[in-house]
C-alpha cells in the first residue's frame, strides 16, 4: 500500500537504534546499479527477519543518524535513456512492490526506497541475489546457509499475514474500507464513535480467526 506520510515514516525509522539488515541510511548515491543491489539485499534480509518492508533512506548520515538532506532525486534519476524507477522494476525479479519517494521535511530533501520482500523466492537484481551480512552487502551465493534459510522463509510466508498499510489512523482505515455497506446489510446504524466501531471489528476478526484455528476438518 502507498506511503501517505513520508515524513512520519522517516521519523519512525530514525527511532531505530541503528542501521540493520532491513534498514540502510545513506546521504548521496547516484549509482543505479548500487541502489539495485541494495534493493535485492534489503528485500532478502527483510524476509529472513520476518519484516514486511525494508528501507533504503537517503539524506541521513549512517553513523550518527544526523539529518543532512540529499541531492539525490530518485524520481528524476536516469539509467541510460530510461527512468530509474522503470529500469529498477525491470531489473528486479520476481516483481515486488518497490515504492520510490522524493520529499521534503523541515526544509531538507530526502529520498526513500521502500521494498516489500518476495513471497515466492529470493529477490534478484540483474540476475544475482544479494544479502546484508552485518553492515555489508554481499552476494547471497557466498553464504549457502543464509540462502537455505531464505528459501525456507519464503516457503512459509503468507501474503495474508503481511501489513497492508502503516502509519494510519482509524479514520484513514474507515475511509479506505468504506464500512457503510456492512452496516446496511446487517441493518445496523453506523456508530457515531469510530473508535467503538473499530474495536467491534477487531473483536469480530479475532473471534473469526480463533474459530478457524480451533476447527478441524471433517473426516
Amino acid at each position: 500500500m502507498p506511503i501517505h506520510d513520508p515524513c512520519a515514516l522517516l521519523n519512525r525509522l530514525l527511532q531505530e537504534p541503528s542501521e540493520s539488515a532491513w534498514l540502510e541510511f545513506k546521504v548521496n548515491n547516484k549509482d543505479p546499479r548500487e541502489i539495485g543491489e541494495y534493493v535485492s539485499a534489503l528485500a532478502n534480509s527483510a524476509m529472513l527477519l520476518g519484516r514486511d518492508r525494508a528501507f533504503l533512506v537517503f539524506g541521513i548520515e549512517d553513523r550518527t543518524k544526523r539529518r543532512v538532506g540529499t541531492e539525490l532525486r530518485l524520481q528524476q534519476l536516469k539509467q541510460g535513456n530510461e527512468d530509474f524507477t522503470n529500469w529498477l522494476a525491470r531489473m528486479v525479479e520476481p516483481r515486488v512492490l518497490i515504492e520510490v519517494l522524493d520529499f521534503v521535511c523541515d526544509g531538507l530533501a530526502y529520498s526513500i526506497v521502500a521494498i516489500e520482500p518476495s513471497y515466492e523466492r529470493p529477490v534478484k537484481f540483474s540476475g544475482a541475489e544479494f544479502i546484508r551480512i552485518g553492515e555489508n552487502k554481499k552476494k547471497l551465493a557466498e553464504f549457502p546457509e543464509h540462502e537455505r534459510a531464505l528459501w525456507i522463509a519464503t516457503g512459509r510466508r503468507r501474503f495474508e499475514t503481511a501489513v497492508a498499510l502503516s502509519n494510519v489512523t482509524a479514520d484513514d482505515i474507515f475511509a479506505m474500507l468504506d464500512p457503510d455497506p456492512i452496516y446496511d446489510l446487517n441493518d445496523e446504524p453506523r456508530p457515531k464513535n469510530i473508535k467503538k466501531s473499530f474495536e467491534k471489528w477487531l473483536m469480530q476478526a479475532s473471534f473469526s480467526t480463533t474459530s478457524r484455528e480451533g476447527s478441524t476438518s471433517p473426516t
Side-chain angles (χ1 to χ4, degrees):
M1 295 291 288
I3 296 168
H4 295 288
D5 191 343
C7 290
L9 172 62
L10 178 64
N11 290 336
R12 180 171 65 80
L13 294 176
L14 285 171
Q15 292 175 6
E16 293 292 323
S18 62
E19 287 185 331
S20 64
W22 57 271
L23 175 61
E24 174 77 15
F25 293 124
K26 289 191 176 299
V27 177
N28 295 302
N29 186 335
K30 297 182 180 181
D31 183 351
R33 299 196 68 86
E34 182 78 3
I35 296 173
E37 291 178 1
Y38 267 109
V39 166
S40 169
L42 289 165
N44 291 330
S45 298
M47 174 57 72
L48 277 177
L49 294 172
R51 305 287 307 195
D52 292 295
R53 279 194 178 182
F55 300 93
L56 177 58
V57 182
F58 294 92
I60 304 295
E61 288 183 341
D62 58 351
R63 299 292 182 184
T64 65
K65 293 197 299 179
R66 189 165 65 94
R67 303 172 188 242
V68 295
T70 182
E71 299 174 357
L72 185 64
R73 301 292 181 273
L74 289 173
Q75 294 177 347
Q76 300 175 16
L77 192 63
K78 297 280 187 179
Q79 173 66 0
N81 294 323
E82 190 174 5
D83 288 341
F84 167 73
T85 52
N86 293 336
W87 172 83
L88 180 62
R90 183 169 56 81
M91 297 293 286
V92 169
E93 58 174 319
R95 288 294 182 94
V96 294
L97 176 63
I98 301 174
E99 191 167 0
V100 175
L101 306 167
D102 294 325
F103 58 100
V104 174
C105 290
D106 299 325
L108 291 175
Y110 302 92
S111 291
I112 290 180
V113 184
I115 313 114
E116 184 175 298
S118 169
Y119 294 91
E120 51 182 293
R121 62 183 189 271
V123 174
K124 295 181 179 180
F125 169 75
S126 190
E129 300 153 341
F130 294 84
I131 193 76
R132 287 287 296 277
I133 302 296
E135 297 181 355
N136 301 311
K137 168 173 57 69
K138 299 288 187 178
K139 286 191 174 181
L140 181 62
E142 298 174 5
F143 299 88
E145 291 185 3
H146 286 73
E147 187 172 13
R148 283 193 296 270
L150 187 54
W151 277 104
I152 293 172
T154 54
R156 66 170 178 256
R157 181 81 169 191
R158 291 191 304 160
F159 175 80
E160 293 83 0
T161 62
V163 175
L165 191 64
S166 59
N167 295 318
V168 292
T169 65
D171 291 311
D172 295 331
I173 294 172
F174 274 89
M176 288 180 283
L177 292 179
D178 186 19
D180 288 340
I182 296 176
Y183 292 111
D184 293 339
L185 287 172
N186 292 329
D187 195 24
E188 295 180 3
R190 177 172 177 169
K192 295 181 179 180
N193 188 325
I194 290 182
K195 182 179 178 182
K196 291 291 185 183
S197 181
F198 193 63
E199 290 174 351
K200 179 180 178 180
W201 277 30
L202 289 176
M203 290 178 62
Q204 290 176 338
S206 176
F207 175 77
S208 176
T209 301
T210 303
S211 299
R212 287 198 303 270
E213 291 176 350
S215 63
T216 57
S217 301
T219 56

